[in-house]
Amino acid sequence: MAICITCTRPISHLYTVYESAYNLRLEQCSKCLVFADPYVEHDTLTLLLDLILLKRGVYRHLLYNRGTEPRKAYEKGKTHKPEVESETSETVAVEDVTSSSAAQHQEFTREKARWLHILRLGSGLLLVDAFIRWAQLNPQISADVSQWSAETNDIFFRILVACLIETLTFHGGVVLASYIVLKSSDWVRTWRFFRTNEVSGVRQQFRISLIPLTILYSSFTKYFLLFLLTIWRPSATLPGGAPYQFDVPYKSPLIVRVLEIWDEDKLDREWVVRNVLGGMAAGFGLRVVLDCHPVFTTAVMLVGWVGKTAVAELLKDWIGADAQTGEVWLAYSIP
């Protein structure tokens, strides 16, 4: 069942279709009195931009409402043959079993489609991650493709396999930690002092498959910026080779030292994007799908990072031919 992206109240339909797929009317939430999901009218580019900007509504749309069937108004006007026979208890029971079976089949179909979507999306993001990591470890070859050789293929294949192992470890740790947090939260809610009368629609419609899907969606912000930094690397010198010279209008040594932190030779932009921004995006996505306190989502992320870093420690000697390459691999292992 779909939910309202504003108040998370479950709703049967998001919009109503009249005779044509382009003639539709958005449904209004009965609780917050706003449109349940305006994103059903938006195109893919708008969804992608809002996903990069970490908007809560687009997460709820993609996770819970994507692919929801609309209410078809023209089917209500179809005539039915009048039936004089009265419904017996056996007839009602058969109809209940049929409707229950149809609901279970629809839920199974949606869950299967969600896992297939995770597989396709994860495969694409895995290739992007492997390319970015390879470009960071081999800046000379990535800048000049003509230097590509058979040895480069072997290095890229190793990086791809290592990224796959790290990704599976990270997702497995996050899923396990999330399951423990949710079970603990449900157990605490049974206490008399913490008992609540209403459970949010996010918790009612929660599925395990939503956790890896949320992490993959949260990676768009990180991979988008990293891909731009990989293609257009900032330069610390002018085209002639002379270093950049900036006239600082401040005389205070403290202000000058603070501004020097942003210099190219002191600030690793790729590390900041991958570790800081990537961690914040993943934590925000888990906050949406788990519907719990940020402290618990932070703990879940730490569990995944510990497992991923441990695996990266084991793989760094296999990836890098020297100690420096292994250390660079380990520094960029945190998502």
PDB file of all heavy atoms in Angstrom, residues 245-253 255-256 259:
ATOM      1  N   GLN A 245      48.329  32.261  -7.637  1.00  0.00           N
ATOM      2  CA  GLN A 245      48.622  33.243  -6.606  1.00  0.00           C
ATOM      3  C   GLN A 245      47.349  34.043  -6.326  1.00  0.00           C
ATOM      4  O   GLN A 245      46.767  34.645  -7.228  1.00  0.00           O
ATOM      5  CB  GLN A 245      49.747  34.193  -7.048  1.00  0.00           C
ATOM      6  CG  GLN A 245      51.095  33.504  -7.284  1.00  0.00           C
ATOM      7  CD  GLN A 245      51.703  32.993  -5.985  1.00  0.00           C
ATOM      8  OE1 GLN A 245      51.390  33.481  -4.898  1.00  0.00           O
ATOM      9  NE2 GLN A 245      52.590  32.015  -6.102  1.00  0.00           N
ATOM     10  N   PHE A 246      46.924  34.015  -5.069  1.00  0.00           N
ATOM     11  CA  PHE A 246      45.715  34.724  -4.667  1.00  0.00           C
ATOM     12  C   PHE A 246      46.089  35.840  -3.706  1.00  0.00           C
ATOM     13  O   PHE A 246      46.897  35.644  -2.789  1.00  0.00           O
ATOM     14  CB  PHE A 246      44.722  33.770  -3.994  1.00  0.00           C
ATOM     15  CG  PHE A 246      44.250  32.661  -4.896  1.00  0.00           C
ATOM     16  CD1 PHE A 246      44.833  31.398  -4.820  1.00  0.00           C
ATOM     17  CD2 PHE A 246      43.247  32.882  -5.820  1.00  0.00           C
ATOM     18  CE1 PHE A 246      44.405  30.376  -5.643  1.00  0.00           C
ATOM     19  CE2 PHE A 246      42.821  31.866  -6.651  1.00  0.00           C
ATOM     20  CZ  PHE A 246      43.398  30.608  -6.570  1.00  0.00           C
ATOM     21  N   ASP A 247      45.519  36.970  -3.924  1.00  0.00           N
ATOM     22  CA  ASP A 247      45.730  38.108  -3.023  1.00  0.00           C
ATOM     23  C   ASP A 247      44.729  38.017  -1.883  1.00  0.00           C
ATOM     24  O   ASP A 247      43.513  38.183  -2.087  1.00  0.00           O
ATOM     25  CB  ASP A 247      45.546  39.430  -3.774  1.00  0.00           C
ATOM     26  CG  ASP A 247      46.594  39.614  -4.857  1.00  0.00           C
ATOM     27  OD1 ASP A 247      47.705  39.083  -4.671  1.00  0.00           O
ATOM     28  OD2 ASP A 247      46.287  40.263  -5.885  1.00  0.00           O
ATOM     29  N   VAL A 248      45.225  37.706  -0.704  1.00  0.00           N
ATOM     30  CA  VAL A 248      44.369  37.559   0.467  1.00  0.00           C
ATOM     31  C   VAL A 248      44.190  38.926   1.108  1.00  0.00           C
ATOM     32  O   VAL A 248      45.168  39.558   1.530  1.00  0.00           O
ATOM     33  CB  VAL A 248      44.976  36.571   1.481  1.00  0.00           C
ATOM     34  CG1 VAL A 248      44.056  36.414   2.674  1.00  0.00           C
ATOM     35  CG2 VAL A 248      45.238  35.233   0.802  1.00  0.00           C
ATOM     36  N   PRO A 249      42.952  39.424   1.218  1.00  0.00           N
ATOM     37  CA  PRO A 249      42.746  40.768   1.782  1.00  0.00           C
ATOM     38  C   PRO A 249      42.766  40.779   3.304  1.00  0.00           C
ATOM     39  O   PRO A 249      42.442  41.809   3.894  1.00  0.00           O
ATOM     40  CB  PRO A 249      41.360  41.144   1.244  1.00  0.00           C
ATOM     41  CG  PRO A 249      40.655  39.840   1.087  1.00  0.00           C
ATOM     42  CD  PRO A 249      41.713  38.837   0.695  1.00  0.00           C
ATOM     43  N   TYR A 250      43.127  39.654   3.914  1.00  0.00           N
ATOM     44  CA  TYR A 250      43.111  39.595   5.370  1.00  0.00           C
ATOM     45  C   TYR A 250      44.548  39.587   5.888  1.00  0.00           C
ATOM     46  O   TYR A 250      45.428  38.948   5.316  1.00  0.00           O
ATOM     47  CB  TYR A 250      42.372  38.346   5.853  1.00  0.00           C
ATOM     48  CG  TYR A 250      40.954  38.245   5.328  1.00  0.00           C
ATOM     49  CD1 TYR A 250      40.657  37.394   4.264  1.00  0.00           C
ATOM     50  CD2 TYR A 250      39.935  38.997   5.879  1.00  0.00           C
ATOM     51  CE1 TYR A 250      39.372  37.294   3.771  1.00  0.00           C
ATOM     52  CE2 TYR A 250      38.635  38.908   5.391  1.00  0.00           C
ATOM     53  CZ  TYR A 250      38.361  38.049   4.345  1.00  0.00           C
ATOM     54  OH  TYR A 250      37.096  37.960   3.864  1.00  0.00           O
ATOM     55  N   LYS A 251      44.762  40.269   6.971  1.00  0.00           N
ATOM     56  CA  LYS A 251      46.083  40.344   7.583  1.00  0.00           C
ATOM     57  C   LYS A 251      46.235  39.398   8.769  1.00  0.00           C
ATOM     58  O   LYS A 251      47.346  39.100   9.176  1.00  0.00           O
ATOM     59  CB  LYS A 251      46.352  41.783   8.051  1.00  0.00           C
ATOM     60  CG  LYS A 251      46.278  42.818   6.932  1.00  0.00           C
ATOM     61  CD  LYS A 251      47.336  42.569   5.856  1.00  0.00           C
ATOM     62  CE  LYS A 251      47.290  43.645   4.788  1.00  0.00           C
ATOM     63  NZ  LYS A 251      48.308  43.403   3.725  1.00  0.00           N
ATOM     64  N   SER A 252      45.117  38.922   9.302  1.00  0.00           N
ATOM     65  CA  SER A 252      45.175  38.066  10.481  1.00  0.00           C
ATOM     66  C   SER A 252      45.749  36.703  10.106  1.00  0.00           C
ATOM     67  O   SER A 252      45.275  36.049   9.168  1.00  0.00           O
ATOM     68  CB  SER A 252      43.778  37.901  11.080  1.00  0.00           C
ATOM     69  OG  SER A 252      43.817  36.976  12.152  1.00  0.00           O
ATOM     70  N   PRO A 253      46.796  36.252  10.807  1.00  0.00           N
ATOM     71  CA  PRO A 253      47.351  34.923  10.509  1.00  0.00           C
ATOM     72  C   PRO A 253      46.349  33.796  10.719  1.00  0.00           C
ATOM     73  O   PRO A 253      46.397  32.782  10.018  1.00  0.00           O
ATOM     74  CB  PRO A 253      48.536  34.817  11.475  1.00  0.00           C
ATOM     75  CG  PRO A 253      48.855  36.220  11.872  1.00  0.00           C
ATOM     76  CD  PRO A 253      47.561  36.952  11.858  1.00  0.00           C
ATOM     77  N   ILE A 255      43.032  33.856  10.191  1.00  0.00           N
ATOM     78  CA  ILE A 255      42.128  33.782   9.035  1.00  0.00           C
ATOM     79  C   ILE A 255      42.853  33.191   7.833  1.00  0.00           C
ATOM     80  O   ILE A 255      42.295  32.388   7.068  1.00  0.00           O
ATOM     81  CB  ILE A 255      41.559  35.168   8.714  1.00  0.00           C
ATOM     82  CG1 ILE A 255      40.731  35.686   9.896  1.00  0.00           C
ATOM     83  CG2 ILE A 255      40.710  35.127   7.450  1.00  0.00           C
ATOM     84  CD1 ILE A 255      40.140  37.058   9.683  1.00  0.00           C
ATOM     85  N   VAL A 256      44.122  33.560   7.664  1.00  0.00           N
ATOM     86  CA  VAL A 256      44.894  33.021   6.539  1.00  0.00           C
ATOM     87  C   VAL A 256      45.063  31.518   6.677  1.00  0.00           C
ATOM     88  O   VAL A 256      44.926  30.766   5.695  1.00  0.00           O
ATOM     89  CB  VAL A 256      46.257  33.724   6.461  1.00  0.00           C
ATOM     90  CG1 VAL A 256      47.135  33.058   5.405  1.00  0.00           C
ATOM     91  CG2 VAL A 256      46.079  35.204   6.140  1.00  0.00           C
ATOM     92  N   LEU A 259      41.785  29.780   5.748  1.00  0.00           N
ATOM     93  CA  LEU A 259      41.558  29.763   4.301  1.00  0.00           C
ATOM     94  C   LEU A 259      42.497  28.803   3.585  1.00  0.00           C
ATOM     95  O   LEU A 259      42.151  28.257   2.535  1.00  0.00           O
ATOM     96  CB  LEU A 259      41.721  31.176   3.735  1.00  0.00           C
ATOM     97  CG  LEU A 259      40.687  32.214   4.189  1.00  0.00           C
ATOM     98  CD1 LEU A 259      41.009  33.574   3.603  1.00  0.00           C
ATOM     99  CD2 LEU A 259      39.277  31.788   3.792  1.00  0.00           C
TER     100      LEU A 259
END
